[in-house]
Amino acid sequence: QVQLVESGGGLVQAGGRLRLSCAASGRTFSTYAMAWFRQAPGKEREFVAGINWDRSDSLYADSVKGRFTISTDNAKNTVYLQMNSLRPEDTAVYYCAAREMVVVIVAILYDYWGQGTQVTVSS
């Protein structure tokens, strides 16, 4: 059982930075893969970034490679998404998600979700 709470969203100008945080509770955090998804109005929820259970591998959507970085602080049961060089098309609600062991890019294969945090990027 895992519970997730996102924070850190807000309004920024294009080219700016935000760091999202996802605080996890649950005794099995260290064996879960963690991921970030995002969803804009009228769009499908899409994979953004993920990191596997032992934190040895990470995966990024092509649209964010080189701009976003996923990381974890296992002692704090927290996963982060550092977002640099933000663009208006990054505007969405960002969700933290968890599943056992290995990262996948399909949203329905994740078992646990946070409530989402809004990121808005203006020109």
Side-chain angles (χ1 to χ4, degrees), residues 27-108:
R27 66 186 184 276
T28 61
F29 176 79
S30 64
T31 65
Y32 279 74
M34 306 296 299
W36 290 93
F37 289 77
R38 66 188 182 188
Q39 188 167 23
K43 302 294 185 182
E44 297 290 328
R45 189 168 296 188
E46 66 174 347
F47 176 82
V48 176
I51 189 164
N52 69 6
W53 73 275
D54 64 359
R55 315 314 181 210
S56 64
D57 195 23
S58 58
L59 184 66
Y60 296 92
D62 287 344
S63 60
V64 307
K65 284 181 180 177
R67 300 190 297 123
F68 292 8
T69 303
I70 189 170
S71 62
T72 63
D73 184 337
N74 288 346
K76 296 181 178 180
N77 290 336
T78 301
V79 61
Y80 304 97
L81 186 68
Q82 179 65 52
M83 305 187 295
N84 301 331
S85 301
L86 283 162
R87 304 166 180 169
E89 55 263 41
D90 295 319
T91 295
V93 177
Y94 283 70
Y95 297 91
C96 180
R99 69 187 305 277
E100 290 189 357
M101 306 302 285
V102 65
V103 169
V104 297
I105 64 171
V106 181
I108 60 172

Coordinates of all heavy atoms in Angstrom, one line a residue, residues 27-108:
R27 N 5.4 1.2 3.7 CA 6.6 0.6 4.0 C 7.4 -0.1 2.9 O 8.5 -0.5 3.0 CB 6.4 -0.5 5.1 CG 5.5 -1.7 4.7 CD 5.1 -2.6 5.8 NE 4.4 -3.7 5.4 CZ 3.1 -3.8 5.2 NH1 2.4 -2.7 5.5 NH2 2.5 -4.9 4.9
T28 N 6.7 -0.2 1.7 CA 7.4 -0.8 0.6 C 7.9 0.1 -0.5 O 8.2 -0.3 -1.6 CB 6.4 -1.8 -0.1 OG1 5.2 -1.1 -0.6 CG2 5.9 -2.9 0.8
F29 N 8.1 1.4 -0.1 CA 8.5 2.4 -1.1 C 9.8 2.0 -1.8 O 9.9 2.2 -3.0 CB 8.7 3.7 -0.4 CG 9.2 4.8 -1.2 CD1 8.4 5.5 -2.1 CD2 10.6 5.2 -1.2 CE1 8.9 6.5 -2.9 CE2 11.1 6.2 -2.0 CZ 10.2 6.8 -2.9
S30 N 10.7 1.4 -1.1 CA 12.0 1.1 -1.7 C 12.0 0.0 -2.8 O 12.9 -0.1 -3.6 CB 13.0 0.7 -0.7 OG 12.6 -0.5 0.0
T31 N 10.9 -0.7 -3.0 CA 10.7 -1.7 -4.0 C 9.8 -1.3 -5.1 O 9.5 -2.1 -6.0 CB 10.3 -3.0 -3.4 OG1 8.9 -2.9 -2.9 CG2 11.2 -3.5 -2.3
Y32 N 9.4 0.0 -5.1 CA 8.5 0.5 -6.2 C 9.2 1.3 -7.2 O 10.0 2.1 -6.8 CB 7.3 1.3 -5.5 CG 6.3 0.4 -4.9 CD1 6.5 -0.3 -3.7 CD2 5.0 0.3 -5.5 CE1 5.5 -1.1 -3.2 CE2 4.0 -0.4 -5.0 CZ 4.2 -1.1 -3.9 OH 3.2 -1.9 -3.3
A33 N 8.8 1.1 -8.4 CA 9.2 2.1 -9.5 C 8.3 3.3 -9.4 O 7.1 3.2 -9.0 CB 9.0 1.4 -10.9
M34 N 8.8 4.5 -9.6 CA 8.1 5.7 -9.5 C 8.1 6.4 -10.9 O 9.1 6.3 -11.6 CB 8.8 6.6 -8.5 CG 9.0 6.0 -7.1 SD 7.4 5.6 -6.3 CE 6.6 7.2 -6.1
A35 N 7.0 7.1 -11.1 CA 6.9 7.8 -12.4 C 6.1 9.1 -12.3 O 5.4 9.3 -11.3 CB 6.3 6.9 -13.4
W36 N 6.3 10.0 -13.2 CA 5.5 11.2 -13.4 C 4.7 11.1 -14.7 O 5.3 10.8 -15.8 CB 6.4 12.4 -13.4 CG 7.0 12.8 -12.1 CD1 8.2 12.4 -11.6 CD2 6.3 13.5 -11.0 NE1 8.4 12.9 -10.3 CE2 7.3 13.6 -9.9 CE3 5.1 14.2 -10.9 CZ2 7.0 14.2 -8.8 CZ3 4.8 14.8 -9.7 CH2 5.8 14.9 -8.6
F37 N 3.5 11.4 -14.7 CA 2.6 11.6 -15.8 C 2.1 13.0 -15.8 O 2.1 13.7 -14.8 CB 1.5 10.6 -15.8 CG 1.9 9.1 -16.1 CD1 2.5 8.4 -15.1 CD2 1.7 8.6 -17.3 CE1 2.9 7.1 -15.3 CE2 2.0 7.2 -17.5 CZ 2.6 6.5 -16.5
R38 N 1.5 13.4 -17.0 CA 0.9 14.7 -17.0 C -0.4 14.6 -17.9 O -0.4 13.8 -18.8 CB 1.8 15.8 -17.5 CG 2.3 15.6 -19.0 CD 3.3 16.7 -19.3 NE 3.8 16.6 -20.6 CZ 4.8 17.3 -21.1 NH1 5.5 18.1 -20.3 NH2 5.2 17.2 -22.4
Q39 N -1.3 15.5 -17.7 CA -2.5 15.5 -18.5 C -3.0 16.9 -18.7 O -3.3 17.6 -17.7 CB -3.6 14.6 -17.8 CG -4.9 14.4 -18.6 CD -5.8 13.4 -18.1 OE1 -5.7 13.1 -16.9 NE2 -6.6 12.8 -18.9
A40 N -3.1 17.3 -19.9 CA -3.7 18.6 -20.3 C -5.2 18.4 -20.6 O -5.6 17.3 -20.9 CB -3.0 19.2 -21.5
P41 N -6.0 19.5 -20.5 CA -7.4 19.3 -20.8 C -7.7 18.8 -22.2 O -7.1 19.2 -23.2 CB -7.9 20.8 -20.7 CG -7.0 21.4 -19.7 CD -5.7 20.8 -20.0
G42 N -8.6 17.8 -22.2 CA -8.9 17.1 -23.5 C -7.9 16.2 -24.1 O -8.1 15.7 -25.2
K43 N -6.8 15.9 -23.3 CA -5.7 15.1 -23.8 C -5.6 13.8 -22.9 O -6.1 13.8 -21.8 CB -4.4 15.8 -23.8 CG -4.4 17.1 -24.6 CD -4.5 16.8 -26.0 CE -4.4 18.1 -26.8 NZ -4.5 17.8 -28.3
E44 N -5.0 12.8 -23.5 CA -4.7 11.6 -22.7 C -3.6 11.8 -21.7 O -2.8 12.7 -21.9 CB -4.3 10.5 -23.7 CG -5.3 10.0 -24.7 CD -6.5 9.3 -24.0 OE1 -6.3 8.6 -23.0 OE2 -7.6 9.4 -24.5
R45 N -3.7 11.1 -20.6 CA -2.6 11.2 -19.6 C -1.4 10.5 -20.3 O -1.4 9.4 -20.8 CB -3.0 10.4 -18.4 CG -2.0 10.6 -17.2 CD -2.6 10.1 -15.9 NE -3.8 10.9 -15.5 CZ -4.4 10.7 -14.3 NH1 -3.9 9.9 -13.4 NH2 -5.5 11.5 -14.1
E46 N -0.2 11.3 -20.2 CA 1.0 10.8 -20.9 C 2.1 10.7 -19.9 O 2.3 11.4 -19.0 CB 1.4 11.7 -22.0 CG 1.8 13.1 -21.6 CD 2.3 14.0 -22.8 OE1 2.6 13.4 -23.8 OE2 2.4 15.2 -22.6
F47 N 3.0 9.7 -20.2 CA 4.2 9.4 -19.4 C 5.2 10.6 -19.6 O 5.4 11.0 -20.8 CB 4.8 8.1 -19.9 CG 6.1 7.8 -19.2 CD1 6.1 7.2 -18.0 CD2 7.3 8.0 -19.9 CE1 7.3 6.9 -17.3 CE2 8.5 7.7 -19.3 CZ 8.5 7.2 -18.0
V48 N 5.8 11.0 -18.6 CA 6.8 12.0 -18.6 C 8.2 11.5 -18.2 O 9.1 11.6 -19.0 CB 6.5 13.2 -17.6 CG1 7.6 14.2 -17.6 CG2 5.1 13.8 -18.1
A49 N 8.3 10.8 -17.1 CA 9.6 10.3 -16.6 C 9.3 9.2 -15.6 O 8.3 9.3 -14.9 CB 10.4 11.4 -16.0
G50 N 10.3 8.3 -15.4 CA 10.2 7.3 -14.4 C 11.5 6.7 -14.0 O 12.5 6.9 -14.7
I51 N 11.6 6.1 -12.9 CA 12.8 5.5 -12.3 C 12.5 4.2 -11.7 O 11.4 4.0 -11.0 CB 13.5 6.5 -11.4 CG1 14.8 6.0 -11.0 CG2 12.6 6.8 -10.1 CD1 15.7 7.1 -10.3
N52 N 13.3 3.2 -11.9 CA 13.0 1.8 -11.5 C 13.2 1.6 -10.0 O 13.7 2.5 -9.3 CB 13.7 0.8 -12.3 CG 15.2 0.7 -12.1 OD1 15.8 1.4 -11.3 ND2 15.8 -0.1 -13.0
W53 N 12.9 0.4 -9.5 CA 12.9 0.2 -8.1 C 14.2 0.4 -7.3 O 14.2 0.8 -6.2 CB 12.4 -1.2 -7.8 CG 13.4 -2.3 -8.1 CD1 13.6 -2.9 -9.3 CD2 14.3 -2.9 -7.2 NE1 14.6 -3.9 -9.2 CE2 15.0 -3.9 -7.9 CE3 14.5 -2.8 -5.8 CZ2 16.0 -4.7 -7.3 CZ3 15.5 -3.6 -5.2 CH2 16.2 -4.5 -5.9
D54 N 15.3 0.0 -8.0 CA 16.6 0.2 -7.3 C 17.3 1.5 -7.8 O 18.5 1.7 -7.4 CB 17.5 -1.0 -7.6 CG 17.9 -1.2 -9.1 OD1 17.4 -0.4 -9.9 OD2 18.6 -2.1 -9.4
R55 N 16.6 2.3 -8.5 CA 17.0 3.7 -8.9 C 18.3 3.6 -9.8 O 19.0 4.6 -9.9 CB 17.3 4.6 -7.7 CG 16.3 4.5 -6.6 CD 14.9 4.6 -7.1 NE 13.9 4.6 -6.1 CZ 12.6 4.2 -6.2 NH1 12.2 3.7 -7.3 NH2 11.8 4.2 -5.1
S56 N 18.4 2.5 -10.5 CA 19.6 2.3 -11.4 C 19.3 2.7 -12.8 O 20.2 2.8 -13.6 CB 20.0 0.8 -11.4 OG 19.0 0.0 -11.9
D57 N 18.1 3.0 -13.2 CA 17.7 3.3 -14.5 C 16.5 4.3 -14.5 O 15.7 4.2 -13.7 CB 17.3 2.0 -15.3 CG 17.3 2.2 -16.8 OD1 17.9 3.2 -17.3 OD2 16.6 1.5 -17.5
S58 N 16.5 5.2 -15.5 CA 15.5 6.1 -15.6 C 15.0 6.2 -17.1 O 15.8 5.8 -18.0 CB 15.9 7.5 -15.1 OG 17.0 8.0 -15.8
L59 N 13.8 6.7 -17.3 CA 13.2 6.7 -18.6 C 12.5 8.1 -18.8 O 11.8 8.5 -17.8 CB 12.3 5.6 -18.8 CG 11.6 5.3 -20.1 CD1 12.6 5.0 -21.2 CD2 10.5 4.2 -20.0
Y60 N 12.6 8.7 -19.9 CA 12.0 10.0 -20.2 C 11.3 10.0 -21.5 O 11.7 9.3 -22.5 CB 13.1 11.1 -20.2 CG 13.8 11.3 -18.9 CD1 15.0 10.6 -18.7 CD2 13.3 12.1 -18.0 CE1 15.7 10.8 -17.5 CE2 14.0 12.3 -16.8 CZ 15.1 11.6 -16.5 OH 15.8 11.8 -15.4
A61 N 10.2 10.7 -21.5 CA 9.5 11.0 -22.8 C 10.4 11.8 -23.7 O 11.2 12.6 -23.2 CB 8.2 11.7 -22.6
D62 N 10.4 11.6 -25.0 CA 11.2 12.3 -25.9 C 11.0 13.8 -25.8 O 12.0 14.6 -25.9 CB 10.9 11.9 -27.4 CG 11.4 10.6 -27.7 OD1 12.3 10.0 -27.0 OD2 11.0 10.0 -28.7
S63 N 9.8 14.3 -25.5 CA 9.5 15.7 -25.4 C 10.2 16.4 -24.2 O 10.3 17.6 -24.2 CB 8.0 15.9 -25.3 OG 7.5 15.3 -24.1
V64 N 10.7 15.6 -23.2 CA 11.3 16.3 -22.1 C 12.8 15.9 -21.9 O 13.4 16.4 -20.9 CB 10.5 15.9 -20.8 CG1 9.0 16.3 -20.9 CG2 10.6 14.5 -20.4
K65 N 13.3 15.0 -22.7 CA 14.7 14.6 -22.6 C 15.6 15.8 -22.6 O 15.5 16.7 -23.5 CB 15.1 13.6 -23.7 CG 14.6 12.2 -23.4 CD 15.0 11.3 -24.6 CE 14.5 9.9 -24.3 NZ 14.9 9.0 -25.5
G66 N 16.6 15.9 -21.7 CA 17.5 17.0 -21.6 C 17.0 18.2 -20.9 O 17.7 19.1 -20.6
R67 N 15.7 18.2 -20.5 CA 15.1 19.3 -19.8 C 14.6 18.9 -18.4 O 14.7 19.7 -17.5 CB 13.9 19.9 -20.6 CG 14.3 20.4 -21.9 CD 13.1 21.2 -22.5 NE 12.0 20.4 -22.8 CZ 10.7 20.6 -22.3 NH1 10.5 21.7 -21.5 NH2 9.7 19.8 -22.5
F68 N 14.1 17.7 -18.3 CA 13.5 17.2 -17.0 C 14.4 16.1 -16.4 O 15.0 15.3 -17.2 CB 12.1 16.6 -17.2 CG 11.1 17.6 -17.6 CD1 11.3 18.9 -17.9 CD2 9.7 17.2 -17.6 CE1 10.3 19.8 -18.2 CE2 8.7 18.0 -17.9 CZ 9.0 19.4 -18.3
T69 N 14.5 16.1 -15.1 CA 15.3 15.0 -14.4 C 14.4 14.5 -13.3 O 13.9 15.2 -12.4 CB 16.6 15.6 -13.9 OG1 17.4 16.1 -14.9 CG2 17.4 14.5 -13.2
I70 N 14.3 13.1 -13.2 CA 13.7 12.5 -12.1 C 14.7 12.0 -11.1 O 15.8 11.5 -11.5 CB 12.8 11.3 -12.6 CG1 11.9 10.8 -11.4 CG2 13.6 10.2 -13.2 CD1 10.8 9.8 -11.9
S71 N 14.4 12.1 -9.8 CA 15.3 11.6 -8.8 C 14.5 11.3 -7.6 O 13.4 11.6 -7.5 CB 16.4 12.7 -8.5 OG 15.8 13.9 -7.9
T72 N 15.2 10.6 -6.6 CA 14.5 10.2 -5.4 C 15.4 10.4 -4.2 O 16.6 10.5 -4.3 CB 14.2 8.7 -5.4 OG1 15.3 7.9 -5.5 CG2 13.2 8.3 -6.6
D73 N 14.8 10.6 -3.1 CA 15.5 10.6 -1.8 C 14.8 9.5 -1.0 O 13.7 9.7 -0.4 CB 15.4 11.9 -1.1 CG 16.2 12.0 0.2 OD1 16.4 11.0 0.8 OD2 16.5 13.1 0.6
N74 N 15.4 8.3 -1.0 CA 14.7 7.2 -0.4 C 14.6 7.3 1.1 O 13.6 6.8 1.7 CB 15.5 5.9 -0.7 CG 15.3 5.5 -2.1 OD1 14.4 6.0 -2.9 ND2 16.1 4.5 -2.6
A75 N 15.5 8.0 1.8 CA 15.4 8.2 3.2 C 14.2 9.1 3.5 O 13.7 8.9 4.6 CB 16.7 8.9 3.7
K76 N 13.8 10.0 2.6 CA 12.6 10.8 2.9 C 11.4 10.3 2.2 O 10.3 10.9 2.2 CB 12.9 12.2 2.4 CG 14.0 12.9 3.2 CD 14.2 14.3 2.6 CE 15.3 15.1 3.4 NZ 15.5 16.4 3.0
N77 N 11.5 9.1 1.5 CA 10.4 8.6 0.7 C 9.8 9.6 -0.2 O 8.6 9.8 -0.3 CB 9.3 8.0 1.7 CG 9.7 6.8 2.4 OD1 10.6 6.1 2.0 ND2 9.1 6.5 3.6
T78 N 10.6 10.2 -1.0 CA 10.2 11.3 -1.9 C 10.8 11.2 -3.2 O 12.0 10.8 -3.4 CB 10.6 12.7 -1.3 OG1 10.0 12.8 0.0 CG2 10.2 13.8 -2.2
V79 N 10.0 11.4 -4.3 CA 10.5 11.5 -5.6 C 10.3 12.9 -6.2 O 9.4 13.6 -5.8 CB 9.8 10.4 -6.5 CG1 8.3 10.7 -6.6 CG2 10.4 10.4 -7.9
Y80 N 11.3 13.3 -7.0 CA 11.3 14.7 -7.5 C 11.3 14.7 -9.0 O 11.7 13.8 -9.7 CB 12.5 15.5 -7.1 CG 12.7 15.5 -5.6 CD1 13.6 14.6 -4.9 CD2 12.1 16.4 -4.8 CE1 13.8 14.6 -3.6 CE2 12.2 16.5 -3.4 CZ 13.1 15.5 -2.8 OH 13.3 15.6 -1.4
L81 N 10.7 15.8 -9.6 CA 10.9 16.0 -11.0 C 11.4 17.5 -11.2 O 10.6 18.4 -10.9 CB 9.5 15.9 -11.7 CG 9.6 16.0 -13.2 CD1 10.4 14.8 -13.9 CD2 8.2 16.1 -13.9
Q82 N 12.6 17.6 -11.5 CA 13.2 18.9 -11.8 C 12.9 19.2 -13.3 O 13.3 18.5 -14.2 CB 14.7 18.9 -11.6 CG 15.4 20.2 -11.9 CD 15.0 21.3 -11.0 OE1 15.0 21.2 -9.7 NE2 14.5 22.4 -11.5
M83 N 12.2 20.3 -13.5 CA 11.8 20.7 -14.8 C 12.5 22.0 -15.2 O 12.3 23.1 -14.5 CB 10.3 20.9 -14.9 CG 9.5 19.6 -14.4 SD 7.7 19.8 -14.7 CE 7.3 21.1 -13.6
N84 N 13.3 22.0 -16.2 CA 14.1 23.2 -16.7 C 13.6 23.5 -18.1 O 13.0 22.7 -18.8 CB 15.6 22.9 -16.7 CG 16.1 22.5 -15.3 OD1 15.6 23.0 -14.3 ND2 17.2 21.8 -15.3
S85 N 13.9 24.7 -18.5 CA 13.6 25.2 -19.8 C 12.1 24.9 -20.2 O 11.8 24.4 -21.2 CB 14.5 24.6 -20.8 OG 15.9 24.9 -20.6
L86 N 11.2 25.3 -19.3 CA 9.8 25.0 -19.5 C 9.2 25.7 -20.7 O 9.6 26.9 -21.0 CB 9.1 25.3 -18.2 CG 9.2 24.3 -17.1 CD1 8.8 24.9 -15.7 CD2 8.4 23.1 -17.4
R87 N 8.3 25.0 -21.3 CA 7.6 25.5 -22.5 C 6.1 25.6 -22.2 O 5.6 24.8 -21.4 CB 7.9 24.6 -23.7 CG 9.4 24.4 -24.0 CD 9.6 23.2 -24.9 NE 11.0 23.0 -25.2 CZ 11.4 21.9 -25.9 NH1 10.6 21.0 -26.3 NH2 12.7 21.8 -26.1
P88 N 5.4 26.4 -23.0 CA 3.9 26.5 -22.8 C 3.3 25.1 -23.0 O 2.3 24.8 -22.3 CB 3.5 27.5 -23.8 CG 4.6 28.4 -24.0 CD 5.9 27.5 -23.8
E89 N 3.8 24.3 -23.9 CA 3.2 23.0 -24.1 C 3.5 22.0 -22.9 O 2.9 20.9 -22.9 CB 3.7 22.3 -25.4 CG 5.2 22.3 -25.5 CD 5.8 23.4 -26.3 OE1 5.4 24.6 -26.1 OE2 6.8 23.2 -27.1
D90 N 4.3 22.4 -21.9 CA 4.4 21.6 -20.7 C 3.3 21.8 -19.7 O 3.2 21.2 -18.7 CB 5.7 21.9 -20.0 CG 6.9 21.5 -20.8 OD1 6.9 20.4 -21.4 OD2 7.9 22.3 -20.8
T91 N 2.4 22.8 -20.0 CA 1.3 23.1 -19.1 C 0.3 21.9 -19.0 O -0.1 21.3 -20.0 CB 0.5 24.3 -19.7 OG1 1.3 25.4 -19.6 CG2 -0.8 24.5 -18.8
A92 N 0.1 21.4 -17.8 CA -0.7 20.3 -17.5 C -0.8 20.1 -16.0 O -0.1 20.7 -15.2 CB -0.1 19.0 -18.2
V93 N -1.7 19.1 -15.6 CA -1.7 18.6 -14.3 C -0.7 17.5 -14.3 O -0.7 16.6 -15.1 CB -3.0 18.1 -13.8 CG1 -3.0 17.5 -12.4 CG2 -4.0 19.3 -13.8
Y94 N 0.3 17.5 -13.3 CA 1.3 16.5 -13.2 C 1.0 15.6 -12.0 O 0.6 16.0 -10.9 CB 2.7 17.2 -13.0 CG 3.2 17.7 -14.2 CD1 2.7 18.9 -14.8 CD2 4.3 17.1 -14.9 CE1 3.2 19.4 -16.0 CE2 4.9 17.6 -16.0 CZ 4.3 18.8 -16.6 OH 4.8 19.3 -17.8
Y95 N 1.0 14.3 -12.3 CA 0.7 13.2 -11.4 C 1.9 12.4 -11.0 O 2.6 12.0 -12.0 CB -0.4 12.3 -11.9 CG -1.7 13.0 -12.1 CD1 -2.0 13.6 -13.4 CD2 -2.7 13.1 -11.1 CE1 -3.2 14.2 -13.6 CE2 -3.9 13.7 -11.4 CZ -4.2 14.3 -12.6 OH -5.4 14.9 -12.9
C96 N 2.1 12.0 -9.8 CA 3.0 11.0 -9.4 C 2.3 9.7 -9.3 O 1.2 9.6 -9.0 CB 3.5 11.4 -8.0 SG 4.8 10.3 -7.3
A97 N 3.1 8.6 -9.7 CA 2.5 7.3 -9.8 C 3.5 6.3 -9.3 O 4.7 6.5 -9.4 CB 2.0 7.0 -11.2
A98 N 3.0 5.1 -8.9 CA 3.9 4.1 -8.4 C 3.4 2.7 -8.8 O 2.2 2.5 -8.9 CB 4.1 4.1 -6.9
R99 N 4.3 1.8 -9.1 CA 4.0 0.4 -9.3 C 5.2 -0.4 -8.8 O 6.3 0.1 -8.6 CB 3.7 0.1 -10.8 CG 4.9 0.3 -11.7 CD 4.5 0.1 -13.2 NE 3.8 -1.1 -13.5 CZ 4.4 -2.3 -13.8 NH1 5.7 -2.4 -13.7 NH2 3.6 -3.3 -14.0
E100 N 5.0 -1.8 -8.8 CA 6.1 -2.6 -8.3 C 7.2 -2.7 -9.3 O 7.0 -3.0 -10.5 CB 5.6 -4.0 -7.9 CG 4.7 -4.0 -6.7 CD 4.4 -5.4 -6.2 OE1 4.8 -6.3 -6.8 OE2 3.8 -5.5 -5.1
M101 N 8.4 -2.5 -8.9 CA 9.7 -2.9 -9.5 C 10.2 -2.2 -10.7 O 11.2 -1.6 -10.7 CB 9.7 -4.4 -9.8 CG 9.3 -5.3 -8.6 SD 10.4 -5.1 -7.2 CE 11.9 -6.0 -7.8
V102 N 9.4 -2.2 -11.8 CA 9.9 -1.7 -13.1 C 9.1 -0.6 -13.7 O 7.8 -0.7 -13.6 CB 10.1 -2.9 -14.1 CG1 8.8 -3.5 -14.4 CG2 10.9 -2.5 -15.3
V103 N 9.7 0.3 -14.3 CA 9.0 1.4 -15.0 C 8.4 1.0 -16.3 O 9.0 0.2 -17.1 CB 10.0 2.6 -15.3 CG1 9.4 3.6 -16.2 CG2 10.5 3.2 -14.0
V104 N 7.2 1.4 -16.5 CA 6.5 1.2 -17.8 C 5.9 2.6 -18.1 O 5.8 3.5 -17.3 CB 5.4 0.2 -17.8 CG1 6.0 -1.2 -17.5 CG2 4.3 0.5 -16.8
I105 N 5.5 2.8 -19.4 CA 5.0 4.1 -19.8 C 3.5 4.1 -20.0 O 3.0 5.2 -20.4 CB 5.7 4.5 -21.2 CG1 5.3 3.5 -22.3 CG2 7.2 4.5 -21.0 CD1 5.8 4.0 -23.7
V106 N 2.8 3.1 -19.6 CA 1.3 3.0 -19.8 C 0.7 3.3 -18.4 O 0.9 2.6 -17.5 CB 0.9 1.7 -20.3 CG1 -0.6 1.6 -20.5 CG2 1.6 1.4 -21.6
A107 N -0.2 4.3 -18.4 CA -0.7 4.8 -17.1 C -1.5 3.8 -16.4 O -1.5 3.7 -15.2 CB -1.6 6.1 -17.4
I108 N -2.3 2.9 -17.1 CA -3.2 2.0 -16.5 C -2.5 0.9 -15.8 O -3.1 0.1 -15.0 CB -4.2 1.4 -17.5 CG1 -3.5 0.7 -18.6 CG2 -5.1 2.5 -18.0 CD1 -4.5 -0.1 -19.5

